[in-house]
Amino acid sequence: MADILVVGAGPVGLTLALELARHGARCRIIDKRPAPLPYCRAIGVTPRTLEVWEAMGIARDMIDAGIWLAGLRSIVHGVPPNDSRPSLDDLPYSMLGLPQYETEAHLTRQLARRGIAIERGTVLACLAQDTEGVAVRLEAGDGSVAEEARFSYVVGCDGAHSTVRRSLGIAFEGEAFPMLFMLGDVQIGWDLPRGMALRALRPVENAAPDMFIAIPLPEPGRYRVSALAPDGLDAGGGSEHGLQAELPGPDLATLQEVADRLLPEPATLSDLRWSSLFRISMRLAARYGEGRVFLAGDAAHIHPPTGGQGMNTGIQDAYNLAWKLARVAGGTAPAALLDSYDAERRPVGADVVARTRAASENYGRERGGAPDRLADTQILISYRGTPWVSEDAPNASGPAAGDRAPDVQSLARHGFGFRLRLFDVLRGTEPVLLAHVAPGALEDFAALGRTLAPHVRTVALTATPPAAEPFGLSVYHDPDGAFAVAYGTEMAYLVRPDGHIGWRGPSWHAPGLAGYLGRVFGAEG
C-alpha cells in the first residue's frame, strides 16, 4: 500500500512523486483531468530548478527539449528599443525556455520508468485525518465513488482552487488583478534573434500599460504571446485565477491588432495553435500544511507570472518536502522534521508574491531594459535562521547554514581520468558531511563516517593527493584550490539532500554536529 497520496499531476505534483520514489517512499498520484492540458502556461526554468533536475538525473532531457533564453528586447513607447542580455556566466546554468506541457511529459515518463502511473480522471472528494493517518474518498469524473482509502500523508499539489487546502480550511488571502489577459501560441515573422524574448509597452496613466509580450518556444519562430484582453473578450464568468479554459480565447486577428499597435516594425502572426484568457491573483496560504496534510505549488501561493517564478517555486517546494516526507514515512527521521517545510518554504512564497506583485505594478514605468536580477534565478534562496538549520560558526566567511551549497569545479580523485564537480560528489539521497581534512586525519574522519553510515555519507577534501583512501571514505583532491576558496579549509558542512547546508561548524569534531544529526536525521555523531 502507498504511504503518500499526491493530489495533482502538474509539474509540482509530478516532481514530488518522482522525488518520493527516488527517496524510496511509496506514493500514488491522482489528477482530476482525463488528459494533460495542451496550453503553454509556464515557460521559464530558473538555474536553481535546473540544479534540482540535475540532482534528480533529468536535467539533460529537459535541456535537450528546451531553448536557452538569450535575453530581452524591451520596447517602451517613446524610448529606443533596448536589448538586455543578463550574464549568468558564474552560474552552472542559464535560464531555459521549456513549455509546461513538455516539462510534464518528461516528468511523466520518468515516473513511468519507476512503475508509477498517474491515475487520471480521479477526484479527491474529501479527506479526514487523525493522529495515525488520512482517510480519503476518491471519485471518478462522473461523481461515482471509486475508492475509500487511507494514507500516512497527503500532499495537495492541486492548484489555486485546491480541494486539499479547502478541506483543511486554510485561509488563502490576497486579491486579484482587475484586468483580464490573453495568451496565444503563434508563429511570428520578424527579425528578433532566436532565443530573445520581447516586451512592448505603452504606459497608460493610472492604469496597467498596454503591452505585448512574446516568449520564445523551442520550435523556431514560435512564441507564446500575452497581452491585455480587450473589453469585448471579457464576457464574465470563469474563475478568479489562472487559465479560463471554459471561456473562448482570442482569435489571431485580435492578437495581431495588439502587435500592430505596439511594435515599431511589422511582425506577422500566423498559425495560432491555441489561445486562452488568463486571470491573475496574488494569494498566500496561511500555512503550508496541517497535521499529516501539506500544500505545495499554486495550492500554497499564486502570484503574477513576472520573472517566471511560479512553477519554479512550486517545484522547489516539492523538492524541499519530498526528502523530509520520505524519511519520516520510512522511520529514519522524527515527525517534527516536517515542521521545517512551512518554516522554510512559506517565507520563500511570501517573498515571491511580494516581488512579483511589485514588479507587475511597476511594469512599464522603467525606461530601458529589464534589470539583471540574480534573485530571479532563485540561486540566492536561503533558509538561514530557521529552526531546522544549525550555525556553529556564525562569524565565518563562506556559505552559511541554510544557504544553497555552491558548486565547485575541477575536483580530482584517484582512479578517475577526468575532473569532477562538487555537484557530482553530492548527488544522491543521503546528507553529505563535507570537510577539508589534513592527510594525517583521514583515518579519524573515516572512522566517524563509519559510525554515521548509512544515515550520512562522508566526503573528505584534501589539498594534496592522499597516498591512499581509508576504507569507506570518499577522498577528493582540490588541485586548483577551488573548494578552499568557496568553502574555506577550517569549516565542516553537512549538506542536506535538497542541496542546502543544514549545519556548519568550525570542524568536523565540533559537538554541534552530533546534536544536529540526531535531531534531524536520527543519527549520532
Side-chain angles (χ1 to χ4, degrees):
M1 184 183 89
D3 290 324
I4 301 159
L5 175 66
V6 178
V7 183
V12 178
L14 291 167
T15 298
L16 180 65
L18 188 56
E19 271 297 273
L20 288 170
R22 192 169 72 94
H23 283 270
R26 299 171 298 176
C27 72
R28 289 170 60 184
I29 179 170
I30 64 172
D31 195 280
K32 65 181 180 182
R33 296 188 179 92
L37 287 174
Y39 303 114
C40 179
R41 292 165 286 169
I43 298 177
V45 179
T46 65
R48 180 56 187 154
T49 293
L50 286 168
E51 290 182 347
V52 167
W53 283 347
E54 179 185 350
M56 295 170 64
I58 60 175
R60 179 63 60 85
D61 287 345
M62 299 297 195
I63 291 168
D64 288 347
I67 179 174
W68 294 115
L69 300 180
L72 173 70
R73 176 166 294 174
S74 184
I75 302 171
V76 179
H77 184 68
V79 178
N82 176 273
D83 283 2
S84 166
R85 298 177 182 269
S87 175
L88 301 176
D89 292 343
D90 57 337
L91 300 179
Y93 295 105
S94 296
M95 294 287 291
L96 182 72
L98 185 66
Q100 184 171 330
Y101 52 76
E102 287 283 358
T103 298
E104 292 177 358
H106 282 277
L107 291 170
T108 299
R109 284 194 289 272
Q110 290 293 330
L111 266 184
R113 290 171 184 167
R114 292 184 175 270
I116 300 174
I118 302 167
E119 300 174 40
R120 291 203 169 273
T122 302
V123 178
L124 174 70
C126 63
L127 63 81
Q129 62 175 313
D130 53 36
T131 58
E132 301 299 324
V134 188
V136 304
R137 185 171 80 242
L138 306 179
E139 295 181 351
D142 60 5
S144 60
V145 177
E147 185 181 355
E148 302 273 358
R150 190 170 176 84
F151 297 88
S152 297
Y153 299 94
V154 172
V155 186
C157 306
D158 49 344
H161 310 292
S162 170
T163 299
V164 175
R165 188 188 64 245
R166 291 174 176 176
S167 297
L168 295 174
I170 293 177
F172 201 41
E173 297 180 350
E175 56 189 337
F177 278 179
M179 68 286 289
L180 186 68
F181 297 84
M182 56 184 180
L183 304 173
D185 179 337
V186 298
Q187 192 84 14
I188 305 182
W190 55 9
D191 65 352
L192 191 69
R194 178 162 164 76
M196 289 283 286
L198 176 140
R199 66 168 186 173
L201 303 171
R202 178 173 295 177
V204 177
E205 189 172 355
N206 299 322
D210 195 6
M211 64 181 71
F212 180 82
I213 298 168
I215 308 296
L217 299 175
E219 182 180 337
R222 292 207 73 85
Y223 295 81
R224 192 206 70 183
V225 299
S226 58
L228 290 175
D231 292 339
L233 282 182
D234 191 355
S239 60
E240 66 174 10
H241 180 82
L243 289 174
Q244 310 298 296
E246 68 275 26
L247 302 179
D251 58 18
L252 189 64
T254 301
L255 296 170
Q256 183 71 61
E257 181 182 353
V258 180
D260 292 343
R261 185 169 67 244
L262 294 179
L263 298 180
E265 300 293 336
T268 302
L269 278 60
S270 62
D271 191 18
L272 177 65
R273 286 186 177 167
W274 63 262
S275 67
S276 182
L277 300 177
F278 190 85
R279 286 197 177 100
I280 296 173
S281 293
M282 300 151 290
R283 300 185 185 276
L284 180 69
R287 54 192 182 280
Y288 276 21
E290 185 174 292
R292 292 174 170 269
V293 184
F294 300 89
L295 305 173
D298 284 357
H301 47 79
I302 53 175
H303 40 79
T306 311
Q309 302 288 288
M311 179 190 72
N312 292 278
T313 302
I315 286 172
Q316 291 164 45
D317 289 341
Y319 191 59
N320 179 281
L321 178 60
W323 69 270
K324 300 170 181 177
L325 204 53
R327 282 183 167 265
V328 173
T332 60
L337 175 61
L338 296 176
D339 296 339
S340 67
Y341 173 61
D342 180 276
E344 293 176 353
R345 293 304 300 173
R346 192 173 181 278
V348 173
D351 177 68
V352 171
V353 171
R355 285 194 298 107
T356 55
R357 175 175 182 162
S360 296
E361 290 175 343
N362 291 323
Y363 216 52
R365 296 179 185 174
E366 70 271 15
R367 298 289 176 172
D372 180 2
R373 292 178 295 182
L374 186 59
D376 283 351
T377 70
Q378 300 185 323
I379 293 293
L380 298 180
I381 289 174
S382 176
Y383 307 133
R384 289 189 188 189
T386 58
W388 290 87
V389 301
S390 182
E391 177 63 81
D392 286 350
N395 299 318
S397 59
D403 291 355
R404 153 195 170 268
D407 197 12
V408 171
Q409 306 287 331
S410 298
L411 299 180
R413 189 178 184 187
H414 178 72
F416 281 69
F418 53 89
R419 298 291 179 89
L420 296 163
R421 297 164 54 203
L422 183 60
F423 279 6
D424 298 325
V425 177
L426 295 177
R427 188 175 297 119
T429 58
E430 318 99 323
V432 177
L433 178 62
L434 282 176
H436 203 282
V437 182
L442 286 174
E443 287 291 350
D444 287 343
F445 192 58
L448 172 62
R450 289 191 288 272
T451 68
L452 297 178
H455 302 283
V456 178
R457 183 159 52 92
T458 48
V459 172
L461 280 297
T462 61
T464 57
E469 290 189 3
F471 174 71
L473 178 64
S474 300
V475 182
Y476 294 85
H477 172 214
D478 184 25
D480 301 328
F483 181 88
V485 169
Y487 287 84
T489 59
E490 304 300 324
M491 295 293 105
Y493 301 84
L494 194 286
V495 182
R496 308 186 319 185
D498 61 2
H500 283 259
I501 297 167
W503 171 86
R504 180 177 73 160
S507 77
W508 50 274
H509 298 287
L513 174 61
Y516 183 78
L517 290 174
R519 186 163 68 97
V520 177
F521 298 102
E524 295 182 2

